């Protein structure tokens, strides 16, 4: 929260008193302004009294700050009964001097105004009550009742102004509640006097489903969330759910988790999804979205990681049976305490209630993987934008907790739409689309990865097949005739195999022919070689003979010359 | 006051002989308080001479009675008797209203 990060600065910041109400302290950045009065206004039955009473009770129980509750409407016993259902023991806390409840009864019939007066009685009572238990918190619920009991508006207004000033002087953190009026926040314009913090509660019914909303109208000297935040009243009191955390700064993991379908992991860079990411599986009816979800759950349990499966369409038994038929055994995981399945109709309660139910179950079970199947049905209990805001909050929460979430969504149109009906496709980290591809009189499933943030992923359409052994993805056949899938793909593959065999055979035949030709040629070459050799021999023979003859003749000639020379010498000597 | 008595006093108009028990709550010496005290004393002396008892309570001195008596606006005059109980806030300067509240005029 921004105010916290500022704490390091030396400037004195507005001190805050935590309310202890889930979520409210988050959006107010720490609670109500300490030592100042805050105004809570809203229509009848929107939870003003409960919120202020919870402020007092939680203050006493969790923060050790005793509180005074001045009730102008209900008696102490009535209040005790009202909060007993929330598990708060008001009489005991009163006995322990943690809480003091003062019921202020004001009845116009009994009162005659005979002149100037002031509200000192109220001041004295408050002062007495505050001092008796050392109260740090005060609630005045609903102070406007004074206006119905007393006539002199001038006096009342002056006295209220004095009262709020006095409360500030006392240093107590106060809540003043006021009924919503026409044109203004409160019927009597209390917002004029209480100017530090004004919180507006609202209760809206759309499509027969009611939503309670809280908005901080103003908060002097503090940053605060300005949106309308839905809140709930359940058996644990009020919980306000911030629409989204104010900042996007949750931790990220680069760890990868398998999708449970090896072929799909391969498409996702070979490793699967990121841990803590959000995955959307969308597709038309009967394309196997639930199967993908169940296999993801199954894989998570096989890794010994807990998983919660929220089913909005089928009962757990139904899903278990169906998964068994395709080789997924969810029953064992449930028995081992790794898997929890919760099934409820979306119309059971409003979106906020669903969100809180999911929150609570997740907080309790602490899973690593969460599955919502399908989110489409939630639209029946809220508008698209409401569903979207609910899912944003859910994704935010899950990301902060490092929980991987997989949603399934039904898309109504068969063409690959750019958006899902819930408009969540931009929020999720990975989006798988399962689509019916109809051709040759049969329907087949095609799976695309529309997006997958932060990883290399396949851009191919894969045929998604569901077999007895599980789910698998098969490369579709991309040929001259276009994309072939299903039996057409199989037929094409058969044809190709036949062609291959024939070709192999033909090639074999040709090889033999070539072999033979070679043999013939080689034989021919051999005979020619022989011929050449004999010719060469013949030629060589005459050449050698010639040489020999030449040699012999040379020898003879030399002999003859020698002979002649020796004769001459003899002759000369004799001379 | 038991039930029978309550009923009787509710039906009967306050007679001349009836005893008035009045209690005035004030807050110290504020102008309103002082005016209220003098006003009620004057009215009582004028209209109820000898048959009233007036109890003046300073709430600052007895803080616990503020809650017990459901005090909010002060000064406050409570007519405890005769029945019905009436509460009058203010400094009692509007004599007509005070007399009406006390049941002395109709």
């Amino acid at each position: 929260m921004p105010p916290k990060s500022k704490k390091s600065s030396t400037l004195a910041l507005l001190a805050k008193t935590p309310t202890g109400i889930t979520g409210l302290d988050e959006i107010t950045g720490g609670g109500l302004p300490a030592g100042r009065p805050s105004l809570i206004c809203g229509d009848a039955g929107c939870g003003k009294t409960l919120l202020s009473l919870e402020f007092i009770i939680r203050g006493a129980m969790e923060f050790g700050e005793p509180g005074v509750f001045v009730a102008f409407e209900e008696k102490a016993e009535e209040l005790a009964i009202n909060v007993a259902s929330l598990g708060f023991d008001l009489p005991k806390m009163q006995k322990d001097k943690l809480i003091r409840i003062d019921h202020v009864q004001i009845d116009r019939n009994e009162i005659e105004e005979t002149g100037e007066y002031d509200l000192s009685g109220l001041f004295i009572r408050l002062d007495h009550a505050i001092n008796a238990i050392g109260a740090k918190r005060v609630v005045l619920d609903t102070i406007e009742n004074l206006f119905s009991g007393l006539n002199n508006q001038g006096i009342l207004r002056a006295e209220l102004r004095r009262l709020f000033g006095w409360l500030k002087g006392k240093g107590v953190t106060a809540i003043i509640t006021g009924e919503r009026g026409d044109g203004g926040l409160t019927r009597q314009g209390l917002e004029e006097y209480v100017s530090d913090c004004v919180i507006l509660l609202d209760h809206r019914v759309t499509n027969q489903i009611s939503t309670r909303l809280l908005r901080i109208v103003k908060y002097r000297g503090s940053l605060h969330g300005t949106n309308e935040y839905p809140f709930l009243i359940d058996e644990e009191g009020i919980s306000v759910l911030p629409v989204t955390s104010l900042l996007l700064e949750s931790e990220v993991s680069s760890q990868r988790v398998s999708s449970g379908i090896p072929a799909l992991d391969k498409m996702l860079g070979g490793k699967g999804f990121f841990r803590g990411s959000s995955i959307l599986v969308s597709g038309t009816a009967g394309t196997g979205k639930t199967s993908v979800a169940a296999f993801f759950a199954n894989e998570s349990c096989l890794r010994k990681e807990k998983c919660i499966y929220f089913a909005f369409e089928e009962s757990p038994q139904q899903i278990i049976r169906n998964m068994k038929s395709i080789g997924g055994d969810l029953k064992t995981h449930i028995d081992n305490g790794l898997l929890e399945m919760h099934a409820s109709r979306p119309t059971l309660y409003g979106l906020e209630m669903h969100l809180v139910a999911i929150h609570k179950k997740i907080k309790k079970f602490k899973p690593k993987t969460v599955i919502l199947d399908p989110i489409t049905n939630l639209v029946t209990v809220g508008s698209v934008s409401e569903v979207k805001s609910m899912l944003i909050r859910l994704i935010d929460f899950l990301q902060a907790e490092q929980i991987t979430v997989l949603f399934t969504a039904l898309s109504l149109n068969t063409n690959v739409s750019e958006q899902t009906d819930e408009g969540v496709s931009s929020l999720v980290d990975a989006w798988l689309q399962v689509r019916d591809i109809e051709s040759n009189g049969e329907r087949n499933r095609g799976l695309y990865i529309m997006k997958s943030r932060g990883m290399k992923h396949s851009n191919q359409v894969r045929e998604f097949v569901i077999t007895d052994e599980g789910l698998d993805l098969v490369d579709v056949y991309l040929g001259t005739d276009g994309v072939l899938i299903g039996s057409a793909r199989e037929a094409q593959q058969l044809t190709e195999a036949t062609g291959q065999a024939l070709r192999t055979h033909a090639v074999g035949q040709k090889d033999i022919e070539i072999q033979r030709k070679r043999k013939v040629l080689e034989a021919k070459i051999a005979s020619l070689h022989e011929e050449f050799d004999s010719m060469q021999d013949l030629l060589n023979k005459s050449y050698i003979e010639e040489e020999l003859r030449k040699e012999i003749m040379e020898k003879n000639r030399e002999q003859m010359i020698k002979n002649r020379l020796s004769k001459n010498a003899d002759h000369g000597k004799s001379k | 006051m038991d039930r029978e008595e309550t009923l009787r006093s509710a039906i009967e108009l306050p007679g001349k002989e009836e005893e008035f028990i009045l209690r005035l709550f004030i807050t110290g010496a504020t102008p309103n308080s002082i005016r209220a005290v003098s006003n009620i004393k004057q009215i009582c002396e004028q209209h109820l001479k000898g048959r009233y008892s007036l109890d003046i309570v300073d709430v600052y001195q007895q803080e616990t009675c503020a809650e017990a008596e459901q005090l909010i606006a002060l000064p406050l005059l409570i007519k405890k008797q005769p029945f019905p109980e009436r509460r009058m806030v203010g400094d009692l300067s509007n004599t007509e209203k005070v007399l009406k509240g006390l049941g002395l005029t109709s």
Side-chain angles (χ1 to χ4, degrees), chain A residues 295 325-328 466-471:
Chain A
F295 266 73
S325 74
I326 57 166
I466 301 175
T467 66
D468 291 349
E469 283 80 43
L471 310 176

Side-chain angles (χ1 to χ4, degrees), chain A residues 210-268:
Chain A
S210 80
T211 312
R212 294 170 192 273
L213 296 160
L214 178 149
R215 182 163 70 92
I216 298 170
V217 180
K218 85 180 197 192
Y219 198 147
R220 221 173 247 181
S222 166
L223 285 176
H224 60 85
T226 50
N227 302 336
E228 276 192 319
Y229 301 95
F231 73 96
L232 271 177
I233 299 174
D234 63 6
E235 66 270 16
E236 282 166 33
I238 288 180
S239 28
V240 186
L241 302 152
V243 169
T244 103
S245 34
L246 299 174
L247 302 167
L248 289 166
E249 51 184 22
S250 52
E251 290 275 317
V252 290
S253 169
S254 52
Q255 206 187 332
R256 303 280 276 266
V257 288
S258 166
S259 64
I261 307 165
L264 181 58
D265 291 345
K266 214 175 278 171
M267 284 174 83
L268 294 159

Side-chain angles (χ1 to χ4, degrees), chain A residues 301 304 306 330-339 365:
Chain A
C301 293
K304 301 271 174 258
K306 285 188 189 173
L330 298 178
K331 185 85 176 64
T332 332
H333 300 314
I334 293 176
D335 295 342
N336 290 342
L338 284 166
L339 180 66
F365 192 62

Side-chain angles (χ1 to χ4, degrees), chain A residues 158-176:
Chain A
E159 285 297 286
L160 282 183
R161 199 179 286 276
R162 186 161 75 95
L163 176 67
F164 297 142
W166 180 81
L167 283 171
K168 266 192 194 179
K170 270 268 165 193
V172 290
T173 308
I175 288 184
I176 290 107

Side-chain angles (χ1 to χ4, degrees), chain A residues 242-377:
Chain A
V243 169
T244 103
S245 34
L246 299 174
L247 302 167
L248 289 166
E249 51 184 22
S250 52
E251 290 275 317
V252 290
S253 169
S254 52
Q255 206 187 332
R256 303 280 276 266
V257 288
S258 166
S259 64
I261 307 165
L264 181 58
D265 291 345
K266 214 175 278 171
M267 284 174 83
L268 294 159
K271 289 182 227 158
F273 303 109
F274 281 117
R275 181 180 295 284
S277 64
S278 45
I279 304 141
L280 174 71
V281 180
S282 71
T284 45
T287 45
K289 300 180 295 294
T290 302
S291 305
V292 174
F295 266 73
F296 188 54
N298 186 42
E299 183 65 24
S300 166
C301 293
L302 288 175
R303 282 195 306 269
K304 301 271 174 258
E305 289 175 358
K306 285 188 189 173
C307 174
I308 299 191
Y309 195 117
F310 294 99
F312 296 119
E313 229 165 30
E314 293 172 277
S315 73
Q317 284 77 14
Q318 215 177 335
I319 295 170
I320 291 164
R321 182 200 66 197
N322 297 349
M323 286 312 113
K324 208 160 194 169
S325 74
I326 57 166
D329 186 7
L330 298 178
K331 185 85 176 64
T332 332
H333 300 314
I334 293 176
D335 295 342
N336 290 342
L338 284 166
L339 180 66
E340 246 184 40
M341 291 183 111
H342 297 282
S344 58
R345 283 270 168 218
T347 43
L348 182 63
Y349 32 58
L351 278 179
E352 302 313 320
M353 221 39 190
H354 274 293
L355 185 56
V356 165
I358 291 169
H359 256 259
K360 279 191 175 161
K361 278 172 185 145
I362 290 171
K363 285 270 184 206
K364 210 164 137 199
F365 192 62
K366 299 195 188 334
K368 289 270 184 216
T369 310
V370 170
I371 286 162
L372 269 83
D373 175 38
I375 53 170
T376 318
N377 280 17

Side-chain angles (χ1 to χ4, degrees), chain B residues 20 22-24 37 40-41 44 52-56 77:
Chain B
F20 276 76
L22 304 173
R23 191 174 282 176
L24 179 67
V37 172
I40 190 65
K41 277 191 173 159
C44 286
Y52 73 95
S53 73
L54 177 64
D55 189 7
I56 297 172
L77 179 72

